[in-house]
């Protein structure tokens, strides 16, 4: 029997711990014991592609020099949890809609409306934001003076996001009206986000644990859901503090419900609402 058909041995607890440490050091993500089977299947499938059958050798390969960094980008793409969907948490998106609508109504939108989607995965979150924001500009018959910068670690997720093409089942959480206005069917039966939205969204690779490398700009909205939950509390706090420095006065930070606990900042006020977890910059 060839090596490619052989079953690889089980990842030992020590090897699992070694991978967990590497992953946390490099991405902030903490794996739990329940992730062992997933990690093992992703690593062993990659090892099979490379013709390797020794976990320790593969670990050495990933952690060794420039070639190791290249291999790291391949394996991290497979390990990272990239689950997402359009309008995954509609109340948070509706809050952004009302926030912008209010600014437009009060004529307090002096500059462009700038948004970050952090941990954007394959783009559904960023395009959902683009849909609600675009609605507001179109409703007010204003030029679409807004921009969304979406960050993720995973190159493969970003490549999907940039294409902006999704299978029908992925678009099912988009309301009929949004679907009609903002998607168009492609010849292969999938659906593409219309270009007037795509040209407002810029997908870029960033590792949020290196938050000092984020662009030195201030934005109106930072949307970060289902990412902080993977990080230790001290790292979450550091990232949230960094986000605060990147918000314009009155800007908002939108996190996942329950994802932030025991964080307070003298410049940030939590919005009192049960359905969303949002902080407003003073
Ligand atoms: C579970 S998905 C969440 C996607 C989207 N925000 C949502 O709520 O549907 C988490 C994303 O965070 C990305 N990620 C994990 N660690 C990261 C890091 N250190 N810096 C940037 N992105 C990271 C993963 O690649 C993945 O695409």
């Amino acid at each position: 029997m060839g090596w490619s058909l052989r079953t690889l041995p089980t990842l030992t607890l020590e090897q699992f711990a070694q991978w967990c440490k590497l992953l946390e050091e490099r991405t902030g993500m903490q794996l739990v014991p329940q992730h062992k089977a997933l990690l093992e299947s992703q690593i062993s499938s990659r090892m099979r592609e490379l013709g390797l059958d020794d976990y320790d050798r593969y670990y050495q390969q990933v952690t060794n020099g420039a070639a190791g960094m290249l291999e790291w980008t391949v394996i991290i793409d497979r390990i990272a949890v990239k689950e997402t969907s359009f309008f995954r948490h509609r109340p948070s998106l509706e809050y952004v809609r009302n926030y912008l609508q209010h600014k437009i109504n009060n004529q307090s939108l002096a500059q462009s409306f700038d948004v970050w989607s952090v941990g954007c995965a394959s783009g559904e979150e960023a395009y959902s934001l683009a849909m609600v924001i675009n609605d507001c500009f179109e409703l007010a018959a204003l030029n679409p003076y807004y921009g969304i910068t979406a960050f993720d670690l995973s190159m493969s997720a970003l490549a999907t996001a940039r294409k902006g093409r999704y299978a029908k089942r992925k678009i099912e959480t988009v309301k009929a009206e949004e679907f009609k206005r903002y998607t168009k069917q492609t010849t292969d039966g999938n659906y593409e986000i219309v270009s007037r939205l795509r040209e407002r969204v810029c997908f870029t690779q960033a590792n949020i644990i290196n938050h000092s490398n984020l662009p030195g700009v201030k934005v109106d909205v930072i949307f970060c859901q289902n990412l902080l939950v993977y990080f230790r509390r001290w790292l979450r706090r550091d990232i949230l503090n960094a986000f605060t420095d990147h918000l314009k006065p009155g800007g908002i930070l939108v996190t996942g419900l329950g994802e932030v606990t025991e964080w307070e900042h003298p410049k940030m006020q939590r919005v009192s609402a049960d359905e969303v977890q949002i902080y407003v910059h003073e």
Side-chain angles (χ1 to χ4, degrees), residues 23-24 26-29 76-77 79-89 117-126 151-155 157-158 204-210 223-231 235 239 256 259:
L23 205 67
E24 189 175 351
R26 292 189 175 182
T27 70
M29 271 188 285
I76 189 59
D77 264 2
I79 298 171
V81 183
K82 287 173 282 188
E83 184 193 332
T84 189
S85 53
F86 281 94
F87 291 89
R88 185 169 185 180
H89 190 241
S117 158
V118 183
C120 64
S122 37
E124 289 87 333
E125 178 179 283
F151 303 98
D152 204 278
L153 192 68
S154 162
M155 292 302 281
L158 290 168
T204 181
Q205 199 203 18
N207 184 343
I208 197 61
I209 71 170
N210 304 325
F223 205 94
C224 182
Q225 297 196 323
N226 304 300
L227 169 60
L228 296 168
V229 74
Y230 295 103
F231 298 161
L235 182 57
I239 294 170
E259 255 187 299

Side-chain angles (χ1 to χ4, degrees), residues 174-181:
V174 175
K175 283 185 181 163
E177 183 57 24
E178 293 156 347
F179 181 81
K180 213 163 87 194
R181 294 176 64 196

Side-chain angles (χ1 to χ4, degrees), residues 235-251:
L235 182 57
R236 251 182 257 180
R237 189 199 55 220
D238 280 4
I239 294 170
L240 292 164
N241 290 345
F243 284 162
T244 301
D245 295 337
H246 283 284
L247 281 172
K248 294 178 191 172

Side-chain angles (χ1 to χ4, degrees), residues 39-56:
L39 186 79
E40 186 178 301
S41 84
Q42 295 303 333
I43 293 179
S44 60
S45 111
R46 178 59 183 158
M47 282 167 56
R48 267 191 210 98
E49 286 169 17
L50 297 172
L52 295 173
D53 59 6
D54 180 352
Y55 288 111
D56 290 335

Side-chain angles (χ1 to χ4, degrees), residues 176-233:
E177 183 57 24
E178 293 156 347
F179 181 81
K180 213 163 87 194
R181 294 176 64 196
Y182 295 128
T183 70
K184 69 172 201 273
Q185 195 163 18
T186 56
T187 46
D188 58 4
N190 290 323
Y191 288 84
E192 189 174 78
I193 304 298
V194 294
S195 60
R196 74 182 191 285
L197 290 197
R198 274 189 290 125
E199 62 202 22
R200 297 274 136 209
V201 190
C202 168
F203 291 98
T204 181
Q205 199 203 18
N207 184 343
I208 197 61
I209 71 170
N210 304 325
H211 46 76
S212 56
N213 296 340
L214 286 169
V217 294
K218 291 197 190 270
V219 297
D220 296 277
V221 178
I222 297 180
F223 205 94
C224 182
Q225 297 196 323
N226 304 300
L227 169 60
L228 296 168
V229 74
Y230 295 103
F231 298 161
R232 283 188 198 273
R233 203 164 348 132

